[in-house]
Amino acid sequence: MSEGAEAERAALAVVERPVTVVDRVVSVGLWTVGLSWMIPVMGTMMATAVFLPSDRTDWLNRLYCWGQIRLTGARYRTEVHPDIDPERPYIFCQNHVNLLDHVTMYNATPHFKQGLELASHFDIPVYGWFMRQRGTIPVHKGRRDAFDKLREGFDKELSQGHSILAFPEGTRSRTGRVGKFRKGVFMAAAELGAPVVPVSVTGMFEILRPGSKVFRPGREVTVTIHQPIETEGLTPAEVPALARRVQAVVAERVDRYWESKGTAG
């Protein structure tokens, strides 16, 4: 077994220990408190969305994200590259590990960030209406015009000065490592000349594993906002290399984290 594989196995052992009664009791408490926080705050956000555009009430979204992170007991820290311009819209590309990815990253920079959601989710009662009101960009999976619709959504948000938060893996990691990045987001970025920012999140995988409802609170969570990568002038032939480059930047930070956990363990 390679050194990297051994480090990964050692790191995953930390979160793959048997679930105890205490874990379950703590998780029930955290889900209860979390929902008690989410329902009134999101209800307020939904009500204000009727009268005001979502970027005018971004403070409510930030309050919600702040509360959800605090309720995990996470020791939260951010590392933001000095080249990040708070006045410039970006396409942030983050690794995808669990249901809290959006709230984990959102407050790391002052940008208003629009998200992506499968178009089918817009049919979910209440939730779908809120996503539509907020301006969330639908992803029309399987349609011939899926990319055109995605590009139109990106263009609309960027032209308003909004940033976009995307998860190019397209699915949550089952190992904590960063998977292959799909090209759609990068094709849109290149066509629009929008800068792409790699984002690495570590520590959140241990708090809530994909497919699990058991919280393991109290970990250190770090959000690393890397240097922006310009896309102006890129040709379609250069898009795959862009996707690989961004994936490599995100993965390098995540891999270092797992290797450090393996060494410590």
Side-chain angles (χ1 to χ4, degrees):
M1 182 179 294
S2 68
E3 182 179 346
E6 290 178 354
E8 181 172 344
R9 187 177 67 173
L12 289 177
V14 175
V15 292
E16 289 179 344
R17 62 174 174 75
V19 176
T20 66
V21 173
V22 173
D23 289 332
R24 296 187 185 281
V25 170
V26 169
S27 293
V28 169
L30 287 174
W31 278 109
T32 301
V33 176
L35 289 171
S36 299
W37 170 257
M38 181 185 74
I39 291 171
V41 177
M42 290 199 71
T44 303
M45 291 167 66
M46 290 171 65
T48 57
V50 176
F51 308 102
L52 294 171
S54 51
D55 56 1
R56 293 279 301 278
T57 58
D58 195 39
W59 65 273
L60 270 173
N61 190 40
R62 292 181 180 279
L63 177 65
Y64 167 70
C65 294
W66 174 86
Q68 289 289 42
I69 293 300
R70 293 301 181 274
L71 289 174
T72 67
R75 301 185 298 279
Y76 183 80
R77 57 191 292 265
T78 61
E79 300 171 349
V80 182
H81 194 278
D83 286 355
I84 295 294
D85 183 349
E87 302 299 324
R88 189 181 186 192
Y90 297 106
I91 299 176
F92 293 96
C93 295
Q94 179 181 338
N95 57 311
H96 199 8
V97 297
N98 64 29
L99 295 170
L100 297 174
D101 287 332
H102 172 87
V103 301
T104 303
M105 184 272 176
Y106 200 90
N107 287 346
T109 75
H111 305 82
F112 175 86
K113 304 173 188 73
Q114 193 58 271
L116 313 178
E117 190 77 46
L118 285 174
S120 58
H121 291 178
F122 284 72
D123 296 329
I124 300 174
V126 182
Y127 177 77
W129 178 85
F130 175 68
M131 292 294 102
R132 192 173 289 107
Q133 287 294 108
R134 193 181 188 279
T136 303
I137 301 169
V139 178
H140 299 274
K141 192 174 182 180
R143 280 177 45 167
R144 285 188 176 183
D145 62 348
F147 174 72
D148 291 336
K149 293 292 186 183
L150 182 71
R151 184 190 180 282
E152 288 173 11
F154 276 33
D155 192 21
K156 178 182 176 182
E157 294 301 320
L158 293 167
S159 66
Q160 296 179 69
H162 298 166
S163 290
I164 294 165
L165 176 56
F167 303 97
E169 290 165 282
T171 187
R172 297 168 198 148
S173 171
R174 297 288 169 174
T175 65
R177 298 280 182 165
V178 181
K180 181 179 179 181
F181 279 9
R182 301 179 182 182
K183 295 183 293 185
V185 168
F186 304 101
M187 289 172 60
E191 289 194 10
L192 297 169
V196 172
V197 178
V199 179
S200 304
V201 174
T202 58
M204 187 53 74
F205 182 79
E206 294 100 307
I207 289 178
L208 182 64
R209 289 284 301 278
S212 173
K213 295 181 176 61
V214 177
F215 277 99
R216 291 188 170 101
R219 314 282 176 155
E220 180 173 279
V221 173
T222 302
V223 180
T224 304
I225 312 294
H226 300 278
Q227 185 176 24
I229 298 174
E230 300 296 336
T231 66
E232 188 75 43
L234 288 184
T235 66
E238 295 173 303
V239 168
L242 172 65
R244 290 193 298 270
R245 178 182 176 188
V246 175
Q247 190 272 346
V249 172
V250 175
E252 190 277 334
R253 178 67 181 85
V254 173
D255 288 346
R256 274 196 290 116
Y257 170 79
W258 280 117
E259 287 159 12
S260 71
K261 297 289 283 187
T263 301

